[in-house]
Amino acid sequence: MTHVRQRISASEPRHTPEPLHAHIHLLEAIGQPLVITDLSGVIVYWNAAAEAAFGWRWEEVCGRSVMDMSDSERWRRKVTRALDSVAREGWWYGETVVQRRDDTKAPVLVQARRWFRSESEATFIVLLVTDLSSQKRIEERLRRRVAVQRQQTIDLQQRLRRQLTDVRLANHMLSKEIAERISVEQKLRFQAMLLDAVSQAVIATNLTSAITYWSRSAERIFGWSEADMIGRHVFDLVAEPKDNAQIAEMRATVAAGHPWEGEFTLTRRDGTMFPAFVTVAAIYDEQQRRSGSIGVISDITDRKRDREALANANARLQAMNADLQLSRDLLYTIVDNLDDALALIDNNGIIQTTNRQFARLFARPPDTLPGASCDTICPEIAPIVARTLASGLKASGRVQLRRASGAMAILDIHSIPLSDANEARRVVLRLVDVTEHLQLEAIMRQNERLAASSRLAAIVAHEINTPLQSIQNYLYLLRAHGAAQSGEFLDLVSDEICRVSGLLRRLLDLHRPGDGAIELIDCNALIERVLLLLGGTLAGSGIRVERSLTTPLPPVSGGRDALTQVLLNLLINAIDAMPCGGTLRIATRHSLETIDQSPVACVQIMVEDTGPGIMPDLQERIFDPFFTTKPHGSGLGLTVSRQIVEQHGGMLRLQSGSGGGATFIVTLPAADRW
C-alpha cells in the first residue's frame, strides 16, 4: 500500500485526467496491467502493474500513442483494427503480441472498452491486459505432449499391427517349418523389448479381460510386477466407484472393431489414485478373430493440473473484468452526480464531455453539449478558458449568468490546464454556483452591521447623557441664583451643547453614508477617529489606551465604512473583555506577508487587550458564524470582520497566550499592491 500511495502522490502532477482522481487508489490496486487512452489511442494512464509487466515507466509512455509501442507492422494493423472496433461497437477483445522495453515479445489478451461520460460520447478507452506468456507456454507444452503421445500411440498401434502380422506369419510358418521358430521367438523378444521401452503402460488382455501382458512401464506406473498382474482382471485397476457405463461403452466400441479413447481414474499399488488417458484396441488372431485387447495408458496428472490452473486463471480474469466494470460504473456515477458542473474543453474551445450538473446549469440536453463551442454555450466563460489555453496556467473568475427561468446566478469559474506530451492543451472547467452563499454572506454582514450600530448607539447615548445632565443642572442653578451668575451658567451650558454637537458630528462623520467606492485610507487616522468616538466609554470603563502608531504609514485601498466596522467590532470586543478596566494597546506597522504564494508589502493593525484571553479550545471556533461567549453577542462580529478583511485581500488572525489577554492582527495589502 505504501508503494501505491507513493505512486498516486507522484502521479498527481503528471496531469492525471480529472475523472480518474476520485478512484486512483482502485485503479492502482488492480493486479493486472491497466492502460487508459483517449479515443485516438494516446495513453493517459498506465498503472504500476503495466510498468512491471512491460518495463515502461509512466513518464515514458504517457502521451504516446499505443501505435508506437512496437515497431511491428502486425502490431500497428492490430491496433488500428482494435481502435476501429471500439469506435464502431464500443469494445474489442482479442490476442496480440506486444513488445516490452527490453525488446522481448509477449503474447497478451486485450479487452478494450469505451468509457462513456454520457449516453453517446466516450472520453477514454480502457484496456485491461492479460499476459498470456505462461498460458501459451502451457498450451504449447500440452500440444507438444499430446502430439508426441498421439504419435507414440500411432507408432505403437502400427508396431502392434506389424507384430500381430509377424506373429500370424510366424504361427503360419511354425506349422510348416519348426526351424523358423527360433527366429520368430527372437523377433518376438525384440518386439517385447520395444514395448518395454515405451513410456506409457502397455497392457494386453484376453476376451475375459484377464491380463496377458504387463510392460515394464506398467510396473513403473502402477507399482505391481508382471508376476503380480498376469491373470488378474484388468478392471481391478479402476478406482472405486467404477463407472460401469463407461466400461460398457469401451467394451462395445472395441468389440465393434474400433479403437476407444477416454479417461479413467486408476489405482496404484500403494493406494494412490491418478487420472489416466487410455487407448484400447482389439487384438486378432490368424483367422482375424478377436482374441483380446491391448491398452496404452498415460498418466495425465500434470495435464489435469495445468488444465485446472488454466480454468482458475480464466475464472479470476472474469472476476477482475466484473470488478473493472463495477469500478467504471462507480466512477461515472460519482462524477455525474457531483454538485459542481464539470466540462472538458479542447484547445479549440470545443466541449468534449460534461457531467449532468453542467447540462442542468445551462438547461441543455446532455447529448447536445459535446462538440459545441464554449463561446456558444456561455460567452462569459470563454475568455477565462482562452487565458488558460494561451498561458498553460490556472485561471479563475466570477461571472453572472442568467438562467432559463430569468433569475441571475453567480458562478465561480476555475479553469485548470491539462497538457499531453505533445504540449496539446485541454482545459478542465469547474463551475461552482455561489449565489446562495453570497446571499447568506450579505445577510450576515447586514445583521452584524445592525448589531454593531445598536451597540454604538447605546454608547453614544451614554456619552450624550452626561452633558445633558450638566445642562439640566446649570439651568436649575440659573433659576436659583437669578441674573447674578447667568452669564457664567449660560457659558457652561453652551460648552456642554458644543460637546454634544461634537459627539454627534463625529458619529455622523464615522457613519456618513457613502457610495461604497474604493478609496485610499490612512489607517492611523481611521484609528484616531474610532478612539475619539469611544473615548468616553473607554474612560468610564477604567480602560487606558496605549498607542504605537508607525509614521509614515502607507495607505490601504478599500471601503472606509467596511474597515471602520472591523475596527469598531475589535475595539468593542476589547472593551467587553475588560469590564473591570485594563489596558488597550493599539499599534500599526509595516509588514511583508505571503499572500497567494507571493511576498506582498502590507500594513498591520494590532488590537491587544489585557482581559482573561481566549481558551485554546475556543480559538479555532471564534470566527465561526453565530459562535459567541457573551450573553448579549450575536456571534457574527468576528465572522463578518474576517470576511471584510479577506475581501480586501488581507487576513485577520488571533494571538492569545496562556498568560491572558488577546491580540487581533489585521493585515491589509498596501495601496501600491492592491
Side-chain angles (χ1 to χ4, degrees):
M1 289 301 295
T2 301
H3 172 71
V4 172
R5 286 195 295 268
Q6 291 173 348
R7 172 181 167 79
I8 293 172
S9 176
S11 68
E12 290 177 353
R14 301 176 184 168
H15 307 291
T16 302
E18 182 69 19
L20 303 182
H21 281 170
H23 281 76
I24 194 70
H25 290 81
L26 182 59
L27 298 177
E28 284 294 334
I30 294 177
Q32 288 182 254
L34 179 68
V35 181
I36 301 178
T37 73
D38 61 18
L39 296 181
S40 64
V42 175
I43 298 172
V44 298
Y45 183 79
W46 181 274
N47 71 352
E51 292 185 359
F54 306 114
W56 299 95
R57 298 193 307 275
W58 167 284
E59 295 84 358
E60 297 173 323
V61 299
C62 186
R64 292 180 58 185
S65 173
V66 292
M67 194 80 70
D68 300 330
M69 297 306 295
S70 174
D71 54 8
S72 169
E73 187 62 28
R74 177 185 177 186
W75 164 261
R76 295 177 181 272
R77 290 196 300 272
K78 181 75 76 171
V79 171
T80 301
R81 287 198 299 272
L83 292 176
D84 290 342
S85 177
V86 172
R88 292 193 311 273
E89 303 174 7
W91 65 276
W92 182 82
Y93 180 93
E95 294 184 12
T96 185
V97 177
V98 300
Q99 183 173 339
R100 297 190 180 96
R101 184 176 184 179
D102 58 3
D103 291 332
T104 60
K105 303 294 180 63
V108 296
L109 176 66
V110 180
Q111 299 182 70
R113 286 187 179 273
R114 281 184 295 184
W115 179 353
F116 283 93
R117 295 295 311 283
S118 63
E119 295 180 358
S120 62
E121 185 65 18
T123 304
F124 303 112
I125 299 175
V126 180
L127 301 100
L128 184 65
V129 183
T130 303
D131 191 347
L132 299 179
S133 301
S134 177
Q135 178 180 339
K136 292 293 184 180
R137 288 194 297 270
I138 292 173
E139 291 177 353
E140 183 62 26
R141 190 162 56 248
L142 289 176
R143 283 195 294 269
R144 289 198 300 268
R145 185 178 297 174
V146 169
V148 170
Q149 290 175 347
R150 287 185 176 176
Q151 185 62 43
Q152 290 174 346
T153 301
I154 293 172
D155 293 342
L156 180 60
Q157 290 175 346
Q158 292 176 350
R159 287 196 297 271
L160 288 175
R161 291 190 182 95
R162 288 195 298 271
Q163 289 175 0
L164 293 175
T165 301
D166 293 339
V167 169
R168 286 194 294 271
L169 179 60
N171 290 334
H172 178 70
M173 295 298 294
L174 182 62
S175 62
K176 293 182 179 180
E177 297 181 13
I178 298 301
E180 295 181 358
R181 183 172 182 176
I182 297 175
S183 175
V184 172
E185 289 178 352
Q186 291 176 347
K187 187 179 296 185
L188 289 175
R189 283 195 297 271
F190 176 72
Q191 292 172 352
M193 291 175 61
L194 293 178
L195 290 176
D196 289 339
V198 176
S199 60
Q200 291 92 346
V202 180
I203 303 173
T205 63
N206 57 21
L207 294 177
T208 62
S209 299
I211 297 174
T212 58
Y213 177 78
W214 185 264
S215 70
R216 292 184 180 177
S217 294
E219 293 183 1
R220 178 180 54 80
I221 292 174
F222 289 93
W224 280 293
S225 66
E226 181 180 11
D228 295 330
M229 297 305 298
I230 295 299
R232 288 186 57 178
H233 200 280
V234 71
F235 292 110
D236 291 343
L237 299 174
V238 180
E240 297 290 346
K242 295 179 173 62
D243 189 343
N244 295 322
Q246 187 181 26
I247 294 174
E249 177 192 354
M250 182 194 70
R251 283 177 164 172
T253 301
V254 175
H258 304 292
W260 181 90
E261 293 181 348
E263 293 185 13
F264 276 107
T265 300
L266 305 179
T267 305
R268 295 187 177 91
R269 183 172 187 172
D270 58 7
T272 59
M273 295 179 291
F274 66 96
F277 184 79
V278 179
T279 301
V280 181
I283 300 175
Y284 298 91
D285 59 13
E286 295 85 354
Q287 287 77 33
Q288 295 298 312
R289 293 176 301 185
R290 191 170 72 89
S291 59
S293 303
I294 185 169
V296 179
I297 301 172
S298 302
D299 186 347
I300 60 172
T301 303
D302 293 339
R303 188 191 308 176
K304 293 276 285 187
R305 186 183 300 113
D306 294 340
R307 190 184 303 168
E308 291 175 359
L310 182 60
N312 292 335
N314 289 332
R316 288 195 300 270
L317 179 60
Q318 293 176 357
M320 290 178 182
N321 289 338
D323 291 342
L324 181 61
Q325 180 66 27
L326 178 62
S327 300
R328 188 196 70 83
D329 294 342
L330 177 61
L331 185 60
Y332 177 79
T333 302
I334 291 173
V335 172
D336 208 39
N337 289 277
L338 290 175
D339 292 335
D340 296 345
L342 297 176
L344 182 65
I345 302 174
D346 66 12
N347 57 354
N348 295 317
I350 303 300
I351 297 175
Q352 292 185 324
T353 184
T354 67
N355 68 349
R356 188 178 304 170
Q357 184 62 23
F358 192 93
R360 187 181 298 117
L361 181 63
F362 292 98
R364 299 282 295 267
D367 56 351
T368 64
L369 289 171
S373 172
C374 187
D375 292 330
T376 303
I377 300 301
C378 186
E380 296 87 350
I381 298 175
I384 299 176
V385 174
R387 191 160 66 247
T388 299
L389 289 173
S391 65
L393 302 175
K394 293 182 180 179
S396 300
R398 178 170 289 177
V399 300
Q400 287 188 345
L401 174 70
R402 185 173 295 279
R403 300 182 186 272
S405 62
M408 294 300 297
I410 301 176
L411 303 178
D412 276 351
I413 313 300
H414 303 280
S415 180
I416 305 169
L418 181 66
S419 301
D420 58 23
N422 297 324
E423 298 185 356
R425 292 197 181 101
R426 291 184 293 175
V427 171
V428 176
L429 188 64
R430 175 170 167 253
L431 309 181
V432 183
D433 189 344
V434 296
T435 307
E436 294 183 2
H437 177 72
L438 294 178
Q439 291 173 349
L440 180 60
E441 284 186 351
I443 293 172
M444 290 172 58
R445 285 195 298 270
Q446 180 64 22
N447 290 341
E448 177 56 24
R449 187 177 293 109
L450 292 175
S453 298
S454 176
R455 297 187 63 195
L456 183 60
I459 293 173
V460 172
H462 174 74
E463 292 292 327
I464 294 177
N465 184 62
T466 300
L468 289 178
Q469 288 288 345
S470 299
I471 292 172
Q472 185 178 11
N473 292 335
Y474 293 146
L475 291 176
Y476 172 79
L477 292 174
L478 181 60
R479 294 191 190 97
H481 291 81
Q485 295 181 334
S486 60
E488 180 183 352
F489 290 143
L490 288 175
D491 290 340
L492 292 174
V493 169
S494 177
D495 291 341
E496 293 301 321
I497 291 174
C498 290
R499 181 180 172 190
V500 171
S501 176
L503 285 172
L504 292 176
R505 185 171 58 256
R506 290 195 297 271
L507 178 63
L508 291 175
D509 289 341
L510 195 61
H511 285 276
R512 187 178 305 278
D515 57 2
I518 301 300
E519 56 183 306
L520 294 178
I521 300 172
D522 183 350
C523 292
N524 288 343
L526 190 63
I527 291 169
E528 291 294 350
R529 294 177 64 189
V530 175
L531 288 175
L532 184 62
L533 180 64
L534 299 178
T537 301
L538 292 167
S541 301
I543 297 175
R544 182 169 56 90
V545 178
E546 293 182 358
R547 298 174 176 81
S548 178
L549 306 180
T550 300
T551 56
L553 192 68
V556 298
S557 182
R560 185 178 299 275
D561 288 346
L563 294 180
T564 299
Q565 182 181 350
V566 173
L567 285 176
L568 277 173
N569 286 338
L570 297 180
L571 291 178
I572 291 173
N573 283 349
I575 293 171
D576 291 341
M578 298 181 289
C580 299
T583 301
L584 173 63
R585 301 182 182 91
I586 186 164
T588 58
R589 67 184 181 187
H590 302 278
S591 177
L592 188 64
E593 300 292 330
T594 299
I595 299 178
D596 292 335
Q597 300 181 348
S598 300
V600 178
C602 296
V603 173
Q604 284 191 337
I605 303 173
M606 284 77 70
V607 178
E608 179 183 358
D609 63 64
T610 57
I614 300 174
M615 299 297 293
D617 57 335
L618 300 180
Q619 293 181 16
E620 294 295 329
R621 302 179 57 195
I622 61 171
F623 291 103
D624 294 343
F626 307 108
F627 176 79
T628 181
T629 59
K630 297 181 290 187
H632 60 278
S634 66
L636 291 173
L638 290 176
T639 302
V640 173
S641 296
R642 171 175 273 187
Q643 289 177 351
I644 292 173
V645 173
E646 289 178 349
Q647 288 169 358
H648 283 71
M651 299 178 293
L652 173 60
R653 65 180 187 271
L654 164 69
Q655 288 183 353
S656 183
S658 59
T663 302
F664 286 89
I665 303 175
V666 179
T667 303
L668 297 169
D672 57 345
R673 294 300 302 271
W674 182 258

